[in-house]
Amino acid sequence: MFDRKQLVNAISQQETPVYYYDLSLMQQTLKTAKRAADVHSFHVHYALKANFNERILKLIRDAGIGADCVSGNEVRKAIEIGFHPSDIVFAGVGKSDREIRDALSHDIFAFNVESIQELKVINTLAAAQGVKARVALRINPNVDAQTHHYITTGLDENKFGIAHWQLGDAVETLSQSEHLELIGIHFHIGSQITDLNVFKSLCVKVNELNNWFDERGFRLRVLNVGGGLGVDYHEPDAHPIPDFSAYFSVFADFLERKPGQEVHFELGRALVSQCGSLISRVLYVKHGLKKNFLILDAGMTELMRPALYQAYHQIEKLDTGEGTGHDAELQRYDVVGPICESSDCFGKEVLLPSCERGDLIAIRTAGAYGEVMASRYNLRDEIRYLYSSAPVDVSAD
Ligand code: LLP
């Protein structure tokens, strides 16, 4: 699906670095995810934090997927793009008063509330506006997501959510808060989760807590289990679309829904990662005593994941059709950027066909947490984009 020829043609006149988005693959991915969710009548929200590029957001809106926001600006952006407020949820451990007021005035579907203090603040601000806020309690289930510790969010040591031992107090606060309506419970245990058994463990916790609320007379309408489904960074071409069916089936099989309960998801990475690549040119090839360095015009300022999480992204040389492609002799390179930091490295000892100045390099699976985490450090250029040919209408097939 990663059409190298089309890409090389499109890019030949383009300045690099540039984010390339394959919008057809994006549409296929969205359609596959939506269909797999619809089988179980699950509701899917897209976590804007993964990528808030407008072209992408519009495709997601058109696919009938809702929005999961973590800042007032994301809520605004979602509304601007045309997501219906009743499809928008708002999470985050540190919502400011202004952000809460704004979201209240848009009458969004729900606030995912992360502390008892936040419940009180939302109640006060809702009272001042004369409205009632729908809230879901984000509960920290203490489930290990078996992923990188920087993107683990559901353990007791993490800052996220309300601890289970505080639920009594939370319920007490809710009963005294006339401007809050408890609609559900919310969880998000981490990101880039590739072992589906982790989600089974989450279901067990959700079931326990669902019963806990039921026993106390709360009829929860929503079970929101967050996001976290991982993607294949090692073999993007073999798995361009994550196995959404298997993922949703875990929840269909292991979640004990009570009559009328809705199940909501907040997927980010799985919906957009494989559709994006960072395309860069080789500026210099530096032969060292111990190493060869490939110095690219892209750096950690465009894609921060390798520097921040030691994340793996497949790196490939794009064959320009001049016989320098995959049949060429392989060399080992440390593939680095131009930024003044030693952590500005995309991969060590990467095997690539012999490269020279001007060659095009693709860093794959960069559609999620790539462009959005870019920075202007070293006063770098603004991010550039290139999109695959206009998306096809896949609604008919
Ligand atoms: N819901 C909540 C409450 C979240 O905190 C997140 C991600 C998501 C949903 C979406 O998770 P996903 O489906 O994308 O795994 N920058 C890191 C990832 C940080 C994820 C933060 N929360 C990275 O590049 O790996």
Side-chain angles (χ1 to χ4, degrees):
M1 285 212 197
F2 184 61
D3 189 341
R4 292 168 179 79
K5 220 177 197 149
Q6 190 199 24
L7 173 57
V8 169
N9 286 338
I11 216 119
S12 60
Q13 302 304 321
Q14 276 269 342
E15 267 198 75
T16 48
V18 57
Y19 265 96
Y20 170 72
Y21 291 115
D22 181 342
L23 299 184
S24 313
L25 174 59
M26 177 90 53
Q27 280 197 318
Q28 293 293 343
T29 307
L30 295 171
K31 191 176 77 166
T32 309
K34 184 75 170 77
R35 280 193 180 161
D38 284 349
V39 170
H40 309 289
S41 308
F42 288 162
H43 298 249
V44 182
H45 302 261
Y46 166 65
L48 265 78
K49 67 169 82 67
N51 191 321
F52 42 73
N53 178 300
E54 292 198 356
R55 293 280 293 268
I56 291 172
L57 288 183
K58 285 177 182 160
L59 290 183
I60 291 172
R61 172 204 64 195
D62 292 347
I65 289 172
D68 162 41
C69 304
V70 283
S71 72
N73 288 341
E74 283 192 358
V75 172
R76 277 185 193 196
K77 175 69 111 187
I79 286 170
E80 220 174 270
I81 293 289
F83 286 91
H84 198 274
S86 63
D87 290 327
I88 298 178
V89 295
F90 182 16
V93 283
K95 302 176 189 78
S96 72
D97 293 15
R98 182 172 59 79
E99 290 176 315
I100 294 169
R101 275 195 212 100
D102 237 35
L104 283 171
S105 66
H106 288 298
D107 193 24
I108 62 163
F109 178 65
F111 289 83
N112 294 333
V113 177
E114 308 231 9
S115 67
I116 293 171
Q117 205 172 17
E118 187 190 330
L119 279 176
K120 293 178 182 168
V121 170
I122 297 179
N123 185 54
T124 306
L125 297 176
Q129 290 188 21
V131 295
K132 205 161 185 173
R134 284 173 293 276
V135 298
L137 294 181
R138 176 170 182 178
I139 303 171
N140 184 332
N142 197 27
V143 170
D144 188 351
Q146 316 270 350
T147 184
H148 192 283
H149 61 284
Y150 278 13
I151 50 176
T152 293
T153 48
L155 289 176
D156 283 343
E157 68 222 49
N158 300 128
K159 69 180 173 183
F160 300 98
I162 299 173
H164 41 92
W165 49 267
Q166 288 176 320
L167 285 180
D169 286 351
V171 161
E172 180 67 26
T173 304
L174 282 164
S175 67
Q176 294 160 9
S177 305
E178 279 179 26
H179 291 270
L180 300 182
E181 178 193 351
L182 178 68
I183 63 159
I185 46 180
H186 170 243
F187 305 83
H188 175 76
I189 54 172
S191 200
Q192 183 52 17
I193 297 169
T194 49
D195 177 0
L196 292 184
N197 288 315
V198 167
F199 294 115
K200 290 185 194 167
S201 309
L202 172 62
C203 288
V204 171
K205 288 286 171 133
V206 178
N207 292 340
E208 269 174 40
L209 288 157
N210 195 10
N211 288 333
W212 188 93
F213 280 91
D214 198 61
E215 283 155 15
R216 283 158 186 77
F218 291 95
R219 302 279 167 263
L220 301 178
R221 174 177 150 203
V222 170
L223 303 177
N224 182 335
V225 293
L229 176 62
V231 298
D232 192 342
Y233 281 95
H234 289 266
E235 291 190 86
D237 289 326
H239 302 113
I241 299 182
D243 191 348
F244 292 107
S245 284
Y247 169 68
F248 288 126
S249 293
V250 169
F251 293 91
D253 293 346
F254 290 90
L255 217 49
E256 291 159 9
R257 273 190 267 185
K258 302 198 185 291
Q261 267 182 343
E262 296 169 7
V263 184
H264 290 237
F265 294 80
E266 300 170 345
L267 290 173
R269 188 188 315 264
L271 294 178
V272 294
S273 272
Q274 298 293 27
C275 310
S277 300
L278 176 60
I279 311 297
S280 178
R281 279 192 174 85
V282 176
L283 287 176
Y284 303 101
V285 185
K286 196 168 178 178
H287 297 285
L289 272 183
K290 296 190 173 161
K291 300 232 178 214
N292 295 322
F293 293 97
L294 217 54
I295 302 173
L296 306 185
D297 61 6
M300 62 192 284
T301 40
E302 284 68 47
L303 180 64
M304 169 131 54
R305 303 192 69 258
L308 191 57
Y309 315 115
Q310 298 78 46
Y312 176 87
H313 284 258
Q314 186 177 294
I315 299 172
E316 59 180 271
K317 177 180 174 185
L318 292 174
D319 188 353
T320 50
E322 290 162 13
T324 53
H326 292 283
D327 51 349
E329 191 192 331
L330 294 179
Q331 304 267 355
R332 270 181 209 283
Y333 296 103
D334 276 15
V335 181
V336 303
I339 308 302
C340 306
E341 301 273 346
S342 291
S343 58
D344 183 26
C345 175
F346 291 116
K348 287 189 189 295
E349 304 281 319
V350 182
L351 267 180
L352 290 172
S354 183
C355 289
E356 55 191 59
R357 179 172 164 81
D359 283 343
L360 285 169
I361 300 290
I363 304 176
R364 304 287 307 278
T365 320
Y369 308 111
E371 181 191 334
V372 282
M373 290 173 71
S375 82
R376 301 290 307 279
Y377 184 42
N378 288 197
L379 199 46
R380 299 275 291 164
D381 286 349
E382 301 268 4
I383 294 287
R384 298 180 193 85
Y385 319 98
L386 179 72
Y387 302 95
S388 67
S389 49
V392 288
D393 179 10
V394 290
S395 53
D397 61 25

